[in-house]
Amino acid sequence: MSWQTYVDEHLMCDIDGQGQHLTAAAIVGHDGSVWAQSSSFPQFKPQEITDIMKDFEEPGHLAPTGLHLGAQSTWLSRERLELLSVERSLPVIFWQGSGGITIKKTGQALVFGIYEEPVTPGQCNMVVERLGDYLVDQGL
């Protein structure tokens, strides 16, 4: 299966059979290389990926400035989810107004999901974390 198929079929999928979809999604290597992305995913700068990676290593790094991802978005608030397994990376959630972004770090990649209402933060988290956990299980 190609990386684009993972984005198209597992991230941009119909959520809960309700006809709702994420606004944009991508799988990006830790080095900022794009493995696959939806056509609507913002064009980002390499420094933005570096800053996201640093926030996973040093939680709170992005708190003063928020997350910047391409010219179209500045996500201002941040929350970390507590997960049952300490072995998994914590997804990071940013939001602004009626939308947001969830980022899941795997061993080699960052999985991004961007949503707007009526998709909820929980639905976005579920979609992103499900694929992220699968990639972690595959050693990716």
Side-chain angles (χ1 to χ4, degrees), residues 33-61:
S33 61
V34 176
W35 294 10
Q37 65 184 11
S38 65
S39 61
S40 54
F41 195 77
Q43 182 67 36
F44 58 85
K45 298 174 187 161
Q47 183 61 45
E48 293 167 335
I49 300 303
T50 301
D51 287 340
I52 292 167
M53 289 295 296
K54 187 166 185 171
D55 194 72
F56 275 102
E57 296 165 13
E58 299 173 22
H61 170 73

Side-chain angles (χ1 to χ4, degrees), residues 63-109:
T65 61
L67 167 74
H68 298 274
L69 190 63
Q72 81 173 40
S73 56
T74 301
W75 309 94
L76 300 174
S77 302
R78 195 193 84 203
E79 170 186 308
R80 287 199 179 265
L81 291 179
E82 292 184 24
L83 300 175
L84 296 176
S85 171
V86 294
E87 294 177 27
R88 295 194 286 175
S89 298
L90 299 175
V92 180
I93 306 158
F94 296 85
W95 61 92
Q96 178 179 25
S98 62
I101 183 169
T102 298
I103 307 166
K104 170 81 175 177
K105 181 183 175 202
T106 72
Q108 298 179 29

